[in-house]
Amino acid sequence: MNGSAAKAAGRAMVVMERAAPWLLLALAGALRLPRLGLRPLHHDEGTNVIFLLRLLREGAYDYDPSNYHGPLLCLLSAVPMLLFGASTEMLRAAPAVLGTLMAGIPWCLRREIGRFGAVAAGVLLATSPSLVYYSRDNIHEIYLVFLTLLLVAGVVRGSSQTGWAILAGAAAGGLLATKETAWLTLAALGAGLIGSRRGGLPAPRRAALAAFALTAGALAIALYSDFLTEPGGWRRPIEALLLWGRKGLHGDGHLKPWWYFPAILARDEPAILLTALAGAVMALRRRDRFAVFLAAWGGIIMVLYSCIPYKTPWLVLNLVLPLALLGGRAFGVVADRARPMGAAVAGRRRRAAAGILLAAAAVVSARRAFDLAFVRYDDDRASALVYVQTRRDALRMVARIEDYARRHPLGRSLPIQILSPDYLPLNWYLRDFTDVGYFGSASEDPGGPAVIARADSADRVASVLGEGYARETYALRPGVDLCLFLQRIDPPAAGP
């Protein structure tokens, strides 16, 4: 290669390096950001909005260890809604943006996993079906894995840079304020670092360690103490850990076999699973200490979650993250491997082969992600990731009520009785109606223009309501149907 050609190649490399993170963000955003209101809110999202709506309407949020994990989700979710108004799109904006940003963070690890490896890890994260699906769902897991990745990047860069150490501390404090399983993540990361002799990273300076610890502790305490207004706030994460630990050990209705997560990976994440296995083999053969750290982290977190009886599919995100980074490292080894003099042609062929393989993996994963996120998002036959998901039929019921209210003289002041213990997430979709009553079961004297009852009690409700009601049945989620009773609106009397 002559001098001018070498300079041109160098300039092209610089341009690609600068563009790589932005291209990864664009790829991730294309699968996460459009049509965030398409999929009906999950039952757990309906639970979370109970506290979120109170925060938005009353400016009050009091953390309770029994109230479905840590406070960070509610506080971050409120920001887009305060800025742009309450809508399903804004409700899900925070997890969608965090899921998008995850694809660019591996670029901070390019020294450890190689430039091509960083791009490959970003592509695997960007197109991961499980990450795409749950980035469009406002539950705690996407916050947890985003902060985990940010923590790893901060620790890697923060051994010598205090600013990165502070960022890592903020990520660690945020982890603790997100969900009780953060302790499993920290345990797996710590064991992985010890087993790989710090992953080949230099020993951190004392100033960096102090900055990390102070930032993590200050943020976690501030969030759990309602910004220092609750003096006993430091005890709350301990209480939450004990509470949810008992639920995890007993299954609490979500008991699954040990092979539950490997089965999800095999069906929905084959690209990440296979490349991670290749990365683990390469790590051991090459004695690549950072790759050994990734393999140990991924292996330990898989064992921990597989041993706990309580299993839900979104927990698999904690496995997908380290496996995607390890898979990226496998691509990096192939593409960036040192070559003897005169082997430039072979090196280009090797990088081309790695690029083709990565593109193929991305296409397979992206197609699966698109299908689950935009087409079969409520079909539990499509994937184990679709778990007790609210059916799109529920949105048709909401649309029917909206249409009825437009024609009714009372409009959104229309009284609505919900006579069912299963109603979430209708509390979100009916939030603008001013007279909604949640009774939990069929009352003795139901009445009013609009009544919703569970299908197994609908006949009894219909007999009490009597004539004058139209009855329609809608699926809420698997195994739960709701019946909507709408009082017939009398046509206006004819004029004289």
Side-chain angles (χ1 to χ4, degrees):
M1 180 181 293
N2 58 37
S4 60
K7 289 180 181 179
R11 285 194 297 269
M13 183 63 69
V14 170
V15 171
M16 284 301 298
E17 286 193 4
R18 290 178 178 176
W22 301 105
L23 294 173
L24 291 170
L25 293 178
L27 175 61
L31 288 169
R32 289 161 173 79
L33 299 176
R35 304 183 70 189
L36 284 172
L38 175 66
R39 176 157 53 109
L41 263 64
H42 189 273
H43 171 279
D44 288 10
E45 290 181 284
T47 300
N48 291 331
V49 300
I50 294 173
F51 313 107
L52 181 57
L53 287 173
R54 181 168 181 244
L55 175 61
L56 293 172
R57 292 170 175 172
E58 304 174 21
Y61 177 79
D62 298 318
Y63 172 73
D64 183 333
S66 65
N67 281 346
Y68 306 96
H69 311 308
L72 187 65
L73 176 145
C74 190
L75 299 176
L76 287 184
S77 298
V79 174
M81 301 177 73
L82 288 171
L83 293 175
F84 304 106
S87 67
T88 302
E89 290 77 11
M90 290 302 103
L91 172 66
R92 288 171 166 165
V97 169
L98 295 181
T100 298
L101 292 176
M102 285 184 67
I105 296 178
W107 191 246
C108 300
L109 306 175
R110 59 190 180 278
R111 296 179 194 170
E112 288 70 34
I113 62 178
R115 286 178 169 81
F116 194 95
V119 171
V123 169
L124 292 174
L125 292 173
T127 59
S128 160
S130 56
L131 281 171
V132 169
Y133 191 80
Y134 290 117
S135 291
R136 298 169 56 82
D137 193 349
N138 198 357
I139 59 175
H140 292 77
E141 220 63 36
I142 199 68
Y143 297 82
L144 192 72
V145 294
F146 169 80
L147 290 168
T148 302
L149 181 54
L150 193 63
L151 172 61
V152 171
V155 167
V156 169
R157 300 275 76 85
S159 58
S160 58
Q161 301 177 52
T162 304
W164 277 99
I166 292 173
L167 181 64
L175 270 177
L176 296 174
T178 297
K179 196 177 179 185
E180 300 71 35
T181 50
W183 292 105
L184 298 180
T185 296
L186 295 175
L189 289 172
L193 286 172
I194 293 171
S196 62
R197 291 183 294 170
R198 295 197 307 272
L201 302 173
R205 295 182 296 111
R206 291 183 180 179
L209 282 175
F212 171 84
L214 287 173
T215 305
L219 182 60
I221 291 172
L223 291 173
Y224 274 114
S225 64
D226 300 330
F227 296 100
L228 306 182
T229 61
E230 173 56 53
W234 63 271
R235 294 194 301 268
R236 290 170 161 183
I238 300 173
E239 295 170 357
L241 182 63
L242 295 175
L243 172 67
W244 289 95
R246 286 193 294 271
K247 289 187 177 184
L249 293 175
H250 290 93
D252 198 39
H254 298 277
L255 189 67
K256 307 288 191 309
W258 68 266
W259 42 262
Y260 180 70
F261 295 121
I264 292 178
L265 292 170
R267 181 175 181 181
D268 291 301
E269 303 284 3
I272 287 178
L273 181 60
L274 293 175
T275 55
L277 290 174
V281 172
M282 292 178 185
L284 295 175
R285 291 183 59 183
R286 294 165 53 86
R287 297 183 182 179
D288 181 337
R289 286 163 62 183
F290 190 79
V292 169
F293 157 66
L294 295 176
W297 166 23
I300 291 168
I301 201 73
M302 182 178 291
V303 169
L304 289 174
Y305 276 106
S306 296
C307 288
I308 296 173
Y310 186 107
K311 295 181 179 69
T312 51
W314 44 84
L315 296 175
V316 81
L317 302 189
N318 297 278
L319 285 60
V320 167
L321 175 57
L323 297 182
L325 295 176
L326 187 57
R329 180 55 183 152
F331 279 106
V333 169
V334 173
D336 298 333
R337 189 167 58 190
R339 303 177 300 276
M341 295 298 294
V345 173
R348 286 195 294 271
R349 288 175 179 172
R350 192 162 48 246
R351 286 193 296 274
I356 292 171
L357 183 60
L358 177 61
V363 168
V364 170
S365 293
R367 287 185 62 182
R368 179 71 167 163
F370 181 86
D371 182 47
L372 294 179
F374 295 94
V375 182
R376 295 193 289 171
Y377 49 83
D378 61 346
D379 184 357
D380 50 9
R381 298 167 300 177
S383 169
L385 298 174
V386 184
Y387 187 71
V388 291
Q389 171 61 41
T390 306
R391 303 293 200 200
R392 65 190 76 191
D393 209 27
L395 295 186
R396 286 193 278 268
M397 180 171 68
V398 172
R400 180 74 173 92
I401 295 172
E402 294 274 2
D403 177 68
Y404 180 80
R406 281 191 291 270
R407 295 182 289 107
H408 197 281
L410 292 176
R412 290 185 180 273
S413 299
L414 176 80
I416 301 174
Q417 290 187 355
I418 300 182
L419 314 178
S420 169
D422 300 296
Y423 61 86
L424 298 175
L426 295 182
N427 58 324
W428 170 256
Y429 293 108
L430 301 177
R431 66 190 181 279
D432 292 329
F433 286 84
T434 59
D435 190 4
V436 182
Y438 299 93
F439 294 91
S441 61
S443 63
E444 295 296 326
D445 188 25
V451 178
I452 298 173
R454 203 163 66 176
D456 56 6
S457 63
D459 289 341
R460 180 158 55 94
V461 171
S463 66
V464 176
L465 290 175
E467 300 294 331
Y469 283 83
R471 173 175 171 175
E472 303 166 4
T473 302
Y474 298 88
L476 179 67
R477 60 177 178 269
V480 178
D481 290 339
L482 296 179
C483 288
L484 172 65
F485 296 89
L486 294 176
Q487 194 173 46
R488 293 186 177 89
I489 303 174
D490 295 328

